[in-house]
Amino acid sequence: MASTAFITAVPGQKAAPPKKKEYQDEINELEALVSGVTQTSQSTLLLKKKKEMREVSEALAFMKQQYLERMKACDENHLTFERRQMDMKEQVIKFEKFIQENDAKRQRAEMRAKDERRKGEAKVEEIKVLTKELEEAEREREKLQDELNRLNRYKEFLDDTVEKTDEGIEQIEDILNRLKTLEGANLDLQSQVEHNDADMDDIRNQLQTFRMETQNHILVQNSKVHQYQNELERLKATSKMGRDNEEAKLDRVKDVNRETGQIIMAIRNLYARCCASHRTKMPPFNEKWVGNAGQLDRCLTFINERIVDLMEVKEGH
């Protein structure tokens, strides 16, 4: 334990060297005492133990004192570190403030420079625009001057006309008024012509529309006529088919009537022959029975029975 080194030891302070040899000697002595306890008296052992306790107490006190000195040095170093840290923080804050001020100044300077540059560019553009406007104004002035020179010839011509005419024209304004009147009349005539042209276009469009409608109506009517013709052909075919079917039905009815007459005639003949050969008198065949299926059925039954009787009689002989 005495040989352990403390991290918080004060730099430059020399720690007391550990007494390894002394402790080893004391341990050896204690071992010797333990080995020879049977030969040593109790008083001697007590004195030795007190001596050992005193030495241990002195060593413990020395270690406590050393520990307190080291803790004190650590506290002083900690306070010194905190003071230096506070000083460093103050310096950092001052430096950051200085940097921020410099950045703000730099940004303001850059903004002023950008603003000045923008204003300069705007002025340059304004100068270009004004220069262009000035050039256009100069060209316009030259055009107006040329126009004035050109119109001066007409003015001279009009002045000469006023002087030479005898139709009540005394000033150039009279000629200009006459010109305006004629121009107004010309515009009216042109407007009337345009209006007449528009009316003619409307009439032409109406005529074209009427022609198209008429053609469409004719096409529709032709289509209807064609449909009616097809319908007529279909009705003719249907009528012919109906007549053919009706004739076929009449033929079948005639055949059935002929066959029915033949059957009734055969029934009449057979019934008459059976009645003639029968011992019991039977009523003669009545023509009213022709339309009575029940009566005909009874006749056939009678004929069947009579034939069966005759066959039995034949077989008996």
Side-chain angles (χ1 to χ4, degrees):
M1 183 175 182
S3 63
T4 305
F6 286 86
I7 298 174
T8 57
V10 179
Q13 184 178 359
K14 213 168 187 184
K19 299 179 179 179
K20 291 183 179 180
K21 190 175 181 181
E22 260 180 43
Y23 295 155
Q24 189 63 37
D25 294 340
E26 291 177 0
I27 292 170
N28 292 333
E29 289 177 2
L30 290 173
E31 290 178 353
L33 289 173
V34 171
S35 62
V37 69
T38 56
Q39 300 175 1
T40 307
S41 62
Q42 294 293 329
S43 59
T44 304
L45 288 173
L46 183 58
L47 291 173
K48 286 183 178 180
K49 291 295 181 182
K50 287 182 178 180
K51 181 180 178 182
E52 290 173 2
M53 291 295 294
R54 184 173 61 252
E55 291 176 352
V56 171
S57 298
E58 289 177 357
L60 183 59
F62 175 76
M63 291 177 68
K64 286 182 178 179
Q65 182 64 30
Q66 189 177 16
Y67 173 74
L68 293 173
E69 290 177 355
R70 289 180 178 177
M71 290 301 296
K72 183 178 180 181
C74 286
D75 293 337
E76 291 177 355
N77 289 335
H78 183 67
L79 292 173
T80 303
F81 175 74
E82 288 182 350
R83 285 195 298 271
R84 289 181 179 178
Q85 191 176 13
M86 290 298 294
D87 294 338
M88 184 67 70
K89 286 182 179 180
E90 291 178 357
Q91 291 179 2
V92 169
I93 291 171
K94 291 179 180 179
F95 185 70
E96 287 180 352
K97 186 177 180 182
F98 174 74
I99 291 174
Q100 291 175 358
E101 290 177 355
N102 285 340
D103 289 340
K105 290 179 181 179
R106 179 179 58 78
Q107 291 177 359
R108 287 195 296 272
E110 289 178 355
M111 291 295 293
R112 284 196 299 271
K114 288 181 181 179
D115 189 45
E116 292 296 332
R117 185 165 54 253
R118 187 171 59 253
K119 288 181 179 179
E121 292 174 355
K123 290 294 181 183
V124 171
E125 293 296 328
E126 186 178 358
I127 290 171
K128 289 181 180 179
V129 171
L130 292 175
T131 303
K132 186 176 180 181
E133 291 178 354
L134 179 62
E135 292 175 354
E136 291 178 355
E138 185 65 25
R139 287 195 295 271
E140 187 66 22
R141 187 187 66 80
E142 292 177 355
K143 289 181 181 178
L144 292 175
Q145 186 64 41
D146 294 339
E147 184 68 15
L148 180 62
N149 295 332
R150 186 179 66 82
L151 293 176
N152 282 330
R153 294 196 297 271
Y154 294 106
K155 184 176 180 300
E156 294 174 357
F157 171 75
L158 292 174
D159 289 336
D160 187 45
T161 302
V162 169
E163 290 177 359
K164 293 180 179 180
T165 186
D166 294 331
E167 297 179 359
I169 298 176
E170 299 178 355
Q171 296 179 356
I172 296 176
E173 285 76 8
D174 297 333
I175 297 175
L176 296 177
N177 292 331
R178 179 71 61 84
L179 177 63
K180 288 180 181 179
T181 302
L182 294 175
E183 288 178 350
N186 186 24
L187 291 174
D188 292 337
L189 292 174
Q190 288 180 356
S191 176
Q192 187 175 359
V193 169
E194 292 176 356
H195 181 70
N196 292 331
D197 291 339
D199 292 340
M200 288 297 295
D201 291 336
D202 292 338
I203 294 171
R204 191 178 296 109
N205 293 330
Q206 291 176 2
L207 179 60
Q208 184 67 23
T209 304
F210 178 74
R211 286 178 179 175
M212 292 181 65
E213 291 177 353
T214 304
Q215 290 176 358
N216 292 332
H217 181 70
I218 291 172
L219 291 175
V220 170
Q221 294 300 321
N222 290 333
S223 177
K224 288 183 179 180
V225 169
H226 182 67
Q227 291 177 358
Y228 291 153
Q229 288 177 350
N230 293 333
E231 184 67 18
L232 180 60
E233 294 295 332
R234 186 183 66 80
L235 292 175
K236 286 181 179 180
T238 304
S239 178
K240 184 177 181 301
M241 187 181 295
R243 287 196 301 272
D244 294 339
N245 293 331
E246 189 66 25
E247 291 176 357
K249 288 180 181 179
L250 291 175
D251 293 338
R252 284 196 298 271
V253 169
K254 288 179 181 179
D255 293 338
V256 169
N257 291 332
R258 185 175 60 255
E259 292 176 357
T260 303
Q262 291 174 357
I263 292 170
I264 291 173
M265 185 178 294
I267 292 172
R268 183 189 297 112
N269 294 331
L270 290 173
Y271 182 76
R273 291 179 65 182
C274 290
C275 289
S277 62
H278 198 268
R279 287 175 294 183
T280 304
K281 187 177 181 180
M282 296 297 296
F285 187 86
N286 193 348
E287 294 297 331
K288 294 180 179 180
W289 294 356
V290 173
N292 192 339
Q295 189 64 38
L296 291 174
D297 186 63
R298 284 192 293 271
C299 291
L300 288 173
T301 302
F302 172 72
I303 293 168
N304 184 32
E305 292 176 352
R306 182 61 181 160
I307 291 172
V308 171
D309 293 338
L310 291 175
M311 290 178 68
E312 288 178 352
V313 171
K314 182 179 179 181
E315 290 176 358
H317 288 286

